[in-house]
Amino acid sequence: MARCSAESASGEEVSEEETLPSAKTLFSEALRNRTYRLLLAGFSTCGFHMVIIESHLFSQFVSYGIAKNAASWSFSIYGIATIAGALLSGFLSGRLKKGNFLGFYYGFRAVFVFCYLFLLPKNLATAFLFSIGLGMTGDATVSPTSGLVSEHFSLVRIASLVGLLFLCHQVGAFFSAWLGGVLLKATGGYTAVWSIDIVLCTAACLFSLMIERKPNRKTGSGEEALRQV
């Protein structure tokens, strides 16, 4: 039995008790929720995107003729930009419509990767630029994603449901790390795996824009949200 508390409209603290259902019931109910299904679809592509960067970006820069030392600095810049992007996203997620915000991030990834892959020259300056753009949007999807879960489900359900999102994220990450190597061996480059990423990010953008805004609430059982399919 879990106890949730929140402030009522009058400012008084209100508490309610909710029994956490079994894992089977919890996840089956969540998967009947349209918003949660859209989040699952989008966040799994996020894992695919992130692990291309973490597993293959350094080697990709080196394959363009960039010195290993310089490529290491580019990857360091990516890490710093990831921190900055996550902080900025956390700040903005409480002020903007989260579904549209997610859609912007995923859409930006698709456009940005396409431009670097097919339009920009491959040198140290563009490697730094690419690293900054990837970093600013890297972990930035976590805040609006977890925020949407907290808006649609009750407090006692959030940890488990966010955990399932990260499981799907890591499934996408596995396929990215594995497929990137397979396609590199088959094609001799990274264009193929990034092209798949562009398609997936575009799909995730569309999924996120389909998420409807839910009125703010402090707490609740989440049953009304679960009935919305």
Side-chain angles (χ1 to χ4, degrees):
M1 186 79 72
R3 181 178 293 273
C4 306
S5 64
E7 289 187 358
S8 66
S10 62
E12 298 178 351
E13 189 176 87
V14 178
S15 65
E16 68 171 33
E17 292 185 347
E18 179 187 355
T19 301
L20 184 64
S22 67
K24 180 180 179 180
T25 301
L26 173 64
F27 294 134
S28 63
E29 288 179 341
L31 290 173
R32 292 199 298 270
N33 180 276
R34 181 174 180 269
T35 293
Y36 192 73
R37 293 197 302 269
L38 292 171
L39 287 174
L40 276 176
F43 209 53
S44 60
T45 73
C46 184
F48 189 95
H49 172 84
M50 292 293 290
V51 174
I52 298 177
I53 301 167
E54 294 163 5
S55 297
H56 303 293
L57 185 62
F58 173 82
S59 298
Q60 181 177 2
F61 286 155
V62 172
S63 73
Y64 292 150
I66 297 172
K68 290 183 178 180
N69 185 52
S72 297
W73 277 107
S74 297
F75 204 68
S76 298
I77 289 173
Y78 161 77
I80 295 170
T82 298
I83 297 171
L87 292 172
L88 180 62
S89 175
F91 175 78
L92 293 177
S93 289
R95 292 162 174 79
L96 302 174
K97 184 178 178 182
K98 296 178 181 63
N100 289 349
F101 199 30
L102 268 178
F104 166 77
Y105 277 132
Y106 290 130
F108 177 86
R109 288 176 178 179
V111 173
F112 193 63
V113 169
F114 178 88
C115 290
Y116 179 74
L117 206 63
F118 298 109
L119 302 179
L120 294 178
K122 307 301 184 289
N123 53 43
L124 183 58
T126 59
F128 282 176
L129 176 65
F130 192 48
S131 297
I132 292 171
L134 292 177
M136 289 298 293
T137 62
D139 285 346
T141 57
V142 175
S143 292
T145 297
S146 59
L148 283 164
V149 175
S150 68
E151 285 181 2
H152 286 78
F153 300 95
S154 61
L155 181 61
V156 297
R157 298 169 183 250
I158 291 174
S160 298
L161 296 179
V162 171
L164 180 58
L165 285 172
F166 271 98
L167 175 62
C168 292
H169 181 280
Q170 294 308 102
V171 171
F174 162 78
F175 281 107
S176 173
W178 170 71
L179 194 58
V182 170
L183 292 175
L184 174 63
K185 185 176 181 179
T187 66
Y190 295 93
T191 300
V193 70
W194 278 116
S195 297
I196 294 172
D197 181 60
I198 291 170
V199 174
L200 292 177
C201 287
T202 302
C205 172
L206 297 175
F207 294 150
S208 299
L209 294 176
M210 293 167 62
I211 295 174
E212 297 179 359
R213 187 168 193 169
K214 186 176 178 65
N216 292 333
R217 60 168 176 78
K218 295 289 185 180
T219 187
S221 65
E223 295 303 322
E224 181 181 349
L226 291 172
R227 288 195 295 268
Q228 295 176 356
V229 180

